[in-house]
Amino acid sequence: MYVAVKGGERAIDNAHAWLAEERRGDPSVPELSVAQIREQMKLAVNRVMAEGSLYDPDLAALAIKQARGDLIEAVFLIRAYRTTLPRLASSRPVDTAAMAVDRRISATFKDLPGGQVLGPTFDYTHRLLDFTLMAEGEPPAAAALPLVAAVSPQRDGGDCDPASRVPHVTGFLNRDGLIEDAAPEDSPPPDLTREPLELPAGRPLRLQAITRGDEGFILSLAYSTQRGYGRTHAFVGELRIGHVGVEVEIPELGFAVEIGDVELTECETVNQFKGSKTEPAQFTRGYGLVFGQSERKSIAMSLVDRSLRWRELGEDDTGAPAQDEEFVLYHCDNIQATGFLEHIKLPHYVDFQSELELVRKLRAEARAMKEAAE
Amino acid sequence: MTKAAFEGRRGWMSLLAKAPPARLAALLPDLPAHEMLRSPETGAVMVQGRVGGTGAPFHLGEMTVTRCSLRLGCGAVGHAWVQGRDKAHARRAAAADALMQTDRAEEMQARVLDVLAAEATAARGARATRAAATRVEFFTMVRGEDQ
């Protein structure tokens, strides 16, 4: 148990002053601005927004600067800040079919209606260090294609007009009944930022926990399912990245207005079947939706989501960690985890003193018994 | 409010909210005299997604939002909800919303809203053309065992 301590103010002040100096680094090197971090460390900013559970690129960039690039510390700063904000409203559910897509790929259909768009991806790069980035210089301009030329032939009936809708791949499969449905419904979702997380959790609560969960933890769990611990044999049916509008009902006016937009990564996996003597076999689904361009997290999220659905889909509990709702949901939050982990470095003198006394007493008793026996 | 007027207000409130704050300030540098009904206040809006894209709603995470309400001398009341923490942006958007309900609406439409709409379309288009240039056609290679 941690017991409050007194004293040490001067040392603490000096430690924090030194921290500020170390944060700045060598003063002969130009200082990073928050805008530079926001624009040039965008994927770090995205991760801090996703796990901090607050979409605000400027604040996430500031948190990264303040935390000296320690992303979990930055997430901590954002989580602390968000508790100071009054909750003004809840948005209408975002419509990801209306996303202005920067990237949209499918590992299951090469000719998906609407076409595949690679977007600004690391895929197909050689992962060789690019030493030109160490030299000053402008990157080559990205190619642009006029939208008319981008419109696909009639056969797929899709186009890249940003105003048009980009249908989900699962929608096409669903038309033939080959995949389970995700029927629209409007029950108000639970909110783990308002009520303690209780088990068993429904899928909406699980998805809320996982989307703000630690990327590394969710990634490893997802990987464990691929290696056989709660296998679900997932294909990436579709992965899309882009901006969607956020609509909020304005209470003063009684109608909804699109007040801004957020960048999201959405992943839908197509997984192995369920079926029975009475129902024909059908693919099942896993779902990932994460703030920002967060591809790895979103794929991992859909795998973990799918593994947690074993009971609902009548599968066996193999005892795999990724199937254990309590294990996943109670350990995926890196702020809870690091808070409890790191607190053990703080003064525990009284606590430890009692243990010390106990050990001494046990040793003395053992010695006394040994002497009595001799 | 008629349906057209209602749709109109939805549209301009959205355009004002999504405008880059510096751009809106450049197009509408001077605000008319007004009294605050609700001073700009920053808070959070919980963004919802849907399971599987179409199913039950769930909470994705919050975003910062600033809201503001004000009244012009003529009595027109303007509201704004804008993404982010820019209080000046919320105030300017609320003033513009109020002005759109006065006889200055036509001028506002031409001088501010039409410009913002054209710029937003151009920005979206520029991004979409870059995406279009990365559109890919994959071909499946025939493997030996098929022969």
Side-chain angles (χ1 to χ4, degrees), chain A residues 252-290:
Chain A
E252 298 90 331
L253 300 172
F255 57 81
V257 173
E258 192 173 297
I259 63 167
D261 54 40
V262 291
E263 188 181 27
L264 297 178
T265 304
E266 181 184 48
C267 177
E268 292 197 87
T269 55
V270 177
N271 302 68
Q272 253 171 11
F273 337 110
K274 65 163 187 180
S276 62
K277 288 203 176 82
T278 52
E279 281 187 60
Q282 233 183 1
F283 286 114
T284 58
R285 304 161 67 157
Y287 189 66
L289 187 66
V290 185

Side-chain angles (χ1 to χ4, degrees), chain A residues 93 181-186 285, chain B residues 49-58:
Chain A
D181 200 9
E185 63 158 281
D186 280 304
R285 304 161 67 157
Chain B
R50 283 188 185 280
V51 177
T54 52
F58 70 95

Side-chain angles (χ1 to χ4, degrees), chain A residues 57-106:
Chain A
D58 288 310
L59 289 181
L62 169 63
I64 291 168
K65 179 172 177 171
Q66 186 177 334
R68 307 176 66 194
D70 178 340
L71 296 189
I72 292 184
E73 181 72 19
V75 170
F76 200 162
L77 293 169
I78 292 298
R79 288 275 186 93
Y81 174 80
R82 70 152 285 282
T83 62
T84 67
L85 294 173
R87 171 81 59 87
L88 302 183
S90 211
S91 82
R92 293 204 171 160
V94 292
D95 180 6
T96 53
M99 182 183 280
V101 293
D102 286 347
R103 172 165 169 79
R104 176 185 187 236
I105 54 166
S106 170

Side-chain angles (χ1 to χ4, degrees), chain A residues 253, chain B residues 1 5-13 77 79 97 101:
Chain A
L253 300 172
Chain B
M1 206 184 288
F6 162 84
E7 282 301 327
R9 192 168 186 194
R10 254 169 68 93
W12 78 58
M13 284 184 73
V77 172
H79 299 289
D97 177 49
Q101 300 164 64

Side-chain angles (χ1 to χ4, degrees), chain A residues 55-56 82 86-89 91 94 102 110 114 116 118-119 145 152 182 185-186 190 252 255-256 258 261, chain B residues 6 10 14 18 38 44-46 48 50-52 54 57 59 62 64 83 85 127 129 131-132 134-136 140:
Chain A
Y55 196 97
D56 189 313
R82 70 152 285 282
R87 171 81 59 87
L88 302 183
S91 82
V94 292
D102 286 347
K110 63 185 170 67
Q116 301 211 39
L118 293 181
L145 256 198
S152 300
E185 63 158 281
D186 280 304
E252 298 90 331
F255 57 81
E258 192 173 297
D261 54 40
Chain B
F6 162 84
R10 254 169 68 93
S14 175
K18 293 169 83 171
R38 172 155 58 205
V45 162
M46 178 53 98
Q48 295 189 11
R50 283 188 185 280
V51 177
T54 52
H59 289 127
E62 289 164 310
T64 49
Q83 183 176 8
R85 290 165 300 110
R127 208 159 173 95
T129 57
T134 68
R135 177 179 276 253
V136 67
T140 312

Side-chain angles (χ1 to χ4, degrees), chain B residues 79-101:
Chain B
H79 299 289
W81 283 54
V82 306
Q83 183 176 8
R85 290 165 300 110
D86 191 329
K87 293 193 160 113
H89 181 201
R91 184 174 183 158
R92 203 171 297 277
D97 177 49
L99 283 173
M100 282 302 290
Q101 300 164 64

Side-chain angles (χ1 to χ4, degrees), chain A residues 179-200:
Chain A
I179 196 163
E180 60 166 325
D181 200 9
E185 63 158 281
D186 280 304
S187 45
D191 185 353
L192 62 80
T193 69
R194 292 302 166 102
E195 279 123 36
L197 179 60
E198 277 186 30
L199 301 177

